[in-house]
Amino acid sequence: MGTKPGMVPPPPGEESQTVILPPGWQSYLSPQGRRYYVNTTTNETTWERPSSSPGIPASPGSHRSSLPPTVNGYHASGTPAHPPETAHMSVRKSTGDSQNLGSSSPSKKQSKENTITINCVTFPHPDTMPEQQLLKPTEWSYCDYFWADKKDPQGNGTVAGFELLLQKQLKGKQMQKEMSEFIRERIKIEEDYAKNLAKLSQNSLASQEEGSLGEAWAQVKKSLADEAEVHLKFSAKLHSEVEKPLMNFRENFKKDMKKCDHHIADLRKQLASRYASVEKARKALTERQRDLEMKTQQLEIKLSNKTEEDIKKARRKSTQAGDDLMRCVDLYNQAQSKWFEEMVTTTLELERLEVERVEMIRQHLCQYTQLRHETDMFNQSTVEPVDQLLRKVDPAKDRELWVREHKTGNIRPVDMEI
C-alpha cells in the first residue's frame, strides 16, 4: 500500500565511491536517510549492499538489522511499506546466513498484501487470515457478520452491513404493526359476529313452540345472546391484551434507529476522511521522494554546494512527508478502532432489541391462543343448558300438556236409539 522511495547514491561519508550493484539490484534511501537495497526481480530487501556474487553479502561479518514492522501496510515508524505491487518486502537470504537464520537477519515479509481496503475500511486479507476470530463464535451474532458492504440487489451500488441491520429492524417493526392490524381485523370480526348473534337471538321465528321442545328452542335462542356476550368480551380482551401492546411496543423505535444510523454514519464519514488524508499524505511522500531522486541525479552530473544543500532540503521534506503519513495512518487507525467499537456495541443492542421484539410477539400470540381457548370454553358453557333441555324433550308429555290446555271433552259419543 506504500509508495516507492526514490533511488539515490550514498550520501557523503556513508560510501566513498559510486555504488556498483549486481544486476537486478537497486539502492534506495528511507525518509530517515538510511540506505537499503531491493532486488527488483525477487523483491528481496536488505540493509546491506549486495556483492556482485549472487547470494554472498558484501560484508559477511557485518550485522544486519531488521526492517521496521508493518501495520496496515505501513512501517510502524511512519514509513510507508514498499511498493504497492509488493506491499511487504521480501528479505534477501544468503547462503552464508543459513546457519544463523534466528540471529539478527531481517524478518521475512510476505510478498502479498496482508490487508485489503474496501470502501475505506481495512480488512485482513483472506489469504493471510482465512478464519478471523469471531466475537461470539458459538452464535450467529450480528456483531460478527455485517462489517463489509453488500452489493445492492436493486442497483449497482453497495449497502453497508449496518444498513442491512437497520433495514431488518425497520422491517421487524413493520411486521409488528401488520400483526397488530391483523388482530384488529380479528377483533372487528368478533364484534360483528357478536352483534349478529345478539340480533338473531331476538328473532321471533318459531317463538310459539310449546312444551319441553318449546323450552329447549327458547334456550337455543338465549344461548345466542350468551354467546354474543362471550365474543364481545373476547374482542375487548384482544384489544387490551394483544392489539394495543403490539401497536405500542417500541413507540420511539424509528427515532432511536435514526440516532444509531446517524452516529455510525458519522463515524464512517470520519473514517473515509481519514483514509483520504492517508492517500493524500502518501501522494505527498511520493512527490517528495521523486524530488529527492531528481536532486540526487543532478548531483551525479555536477557536484556543487548548492546541489548538496538542495539534497539536504529535499531529504528533510521527504522525512517530514513520512512523518505526516505516519500521523495520518495513526489517525485513520484511531477512527477505524472507534468505528469498530461502536459497531460492536450498536449491533449487539440491535440484536437485543430483535430478541426482545420476537419474545414480546410470541408472548402476546400465546395470550391470543389462551383467550381463544377460554372463548371456546365459554361458548361451550352457553350450549350446555340447551343440551340438558334437549335431553328432556318428551313428545308424550308435550301432548299431555297440550291436551290438558286445549281439550274440548273426554266423553265418547254413543249410537242413537230408534
Side-chain angles (χ1 to χ4, degrees), residues 149-375:
D149 296 349
K150 184 176 182 180
K151 188 171 182 180
D152 185 1
Q154 298 179 349
N156 297 324
T158 58
V159 180
F162 186 73
E163 288 295 325
L164 290 178
L165 285 178
L166 287 183
Q167 291 174 12
K168 171 77 167 87
Q169 296 289 314
L170 293 173
K171 182 179 179 181
K173 186 175 187 297
Q174 178 63 26
M175 292 302 99
Q176 187 171 309
K177 180 181 178 183
E178 292 180 9
M179 288 180 185
S180 177
E181 293 173 351
F182 178 90
I183 298 298
R184 185 184 305 160
E185 289 297 317
R186 182 72 172 88
I187 291 171
K188 187 176 184 300
I189 291 172
E190 288 295 314
E191 291 175 345
D192 292 342
Y193 184 57
K195 291 177 181 178
N196 290 331
L197 287 178
K199 181 179 179 181
L200 185 58
S201 69
Q202 301 299 321
N203 194 293
S204 61
L205 292 176
S207 59
Q208 296 182 4
E209 180 63 49
E210 301 172 341
S212 58
L213 180 60
E215 293 177 6
W217 174 244
Q219 188 60 46
V220 167
K221 296 170 65 177
K222 183 179 184 302
S223 70
L224 295 182
D226 295 339
E227 187 179 357
E229 185 177 354
V230 169
H231 284 277
L232 279 176
K233 289 181 179 179
F234 177 48
S235 64
K237 287 186 176 181
L238 280 181
H239 172 71
S240 62
E241 299 179 20
V242 181
E243 179 205 3
K244 193 173 181 181
L246 281 175
M247 182 61 73
N248 293 341
F249 183 67
R250 290 200 324 210
E251 187 71 27
N252 298 321
F253 172 75
K254 193 169 184 178
K255 186 184 300 182
D256 294 338
M257 288 300 98
K258 283 186 177 179
K259 290 181 181 178
C260 292
D261 188 12
H262 290 162
H263 182 53
I264 297 296
D266 288 343
L267 291 175
R268 185 70 179 264
K269 289 178 182 177
Q270 185 182 62
L271 188 60
S273 175
R274 297 282 171 82
Y275 179 79
S277 297
V278 170
E279 294 297 303
K280 184 178 179 181
R282 186 191 298 123
K283 183 178 180 180
L285 177 60
T286 302
E287 293 174 352
R288 297 301 184 190
Q289 290 174 334
R290 286 175 180 170
D291 182 57
L292 178 59
E293 183 178 356
M294 182 182 67
K295 295 290 193 304
T296 305
Q297 290 173 351
Q298 291 176 356
L299 177 62
E300 293 176 350
I301 298 174
K302 180 180 180 181
L303 295 174
S304 69
N305 292 334
K306 183 176 185 303
T307 305
E308 291 182 4
E309 287 296 323
D310 288 343
I311 289 178
K312 291 180 181 180
K313 184 177 180 181
R315 185 177 294 124
R316 284 196 300 270
K317 289 183 177 181
S318 179
T319 301
Q320 180 61 45
D323 293 340
D324 289 344
L325 179 58
M326 178 180 68
R327 180 181 58 82
C328 289
V329 169
D330 184 54
L331 290 174
Y332 169 83
N333 288 336
Q334 291 179 24
Q336 183 166 257
S337 177
K338 180 63 175 176
W339 176 74
F340 173 86
E341 293 172 2
E342 293 299 324
M343 276 285 290
V344 171
T345 302
T346 308
T347 54
L348 288 177
E349 176 63 13
L350 294 181
E351 188 174 290
R352 185 192 67 80
L353 290 174
E354 178 65 7
V355 171
E356 182 182 352
R357 183 188 75 89
V358 171
E359 180 60 23
M360 187 278 299
I361 291 177
R362 187 193 70 82
Q363 290 179 0
H364 286 90
L365 290 181
C366 286
Q367 181 65 11
Y368 166 80
T369 59
Q370 178 63 29
L371 291 173
R372 185 70 176 82
H373 289 317
E374 291 177 359
T375 300

Side-chain angles (χ1 to χ4, degrees), residues 4-152:
K4 186 174 181 179
M7 181 177 67
V8 294
E14 182 174 333
E15 293 181 4
S16 59
Q17 55 186 354
T18 305
V19 177
I20 300 177
L21 299 175
W25 286 90
Q26 291 187 1
S27 172
Y28 297 93
L29 281 182
S30 72
Q32 286 75 23
R34 188 175 181 185
R35 180 172 302 285
Y36 64 95
Y37 304 89
V38 178
N39 187 316
T40 57
T41 303
T42 63
N43 291 325
E44 295 176 352
T45 304
T46 179
W47 290 120
E48 292 184 355
R49 180 169 63 85
S51 67
S52 58
S53 300
I56 301 177
S59 304
S62 65
H63 189 111
R64 290 197 296 183
S65 61
S66 299
L67 294 174
T70 58
V71 179
N72 283 343
Y74 297 95
H75 292 308
S77 64
T79 306
H82 194 61
E85 61 272 13
T86 59
H88 297 291
M89 294 180 279
S90 301
V91 178
R92 176 177 174 266
K93 183 172 68 175
S94 68
T95 56
D97 289 331
S98 60
Q99 302 300 323
N100 299 305
L101 296 179
S103 59
S104 59
S105 62
S107 60
K108 275 194 173 183
K109 301 295 180 181
Q110 297 184 7
S111 61
K112 293 183 178 180
E113 287 274 9
N114 68 353
T115 60
I116 56 176
T117 302
I118 303 174
N119 290 342
C120 304
V121 181
T122 305
F123 298 97
H125 197 287
D127 293 339
T128 61
M129 190 178 288
E131 295 183 2
Q132 189 177 8
Q133 181 66 36
L134 298 179
L135 298 175
K136 301 177 81 173
T138 60
E139 303 178 27
W140 287 92
S141 175
Y142 291 165
C143 68
D144 280 315
Y145 296 98
F146 291 91
W147 293 99
D149 296 349
K150 184 176 182 180
K151 188 171 182 180
D152 185 1

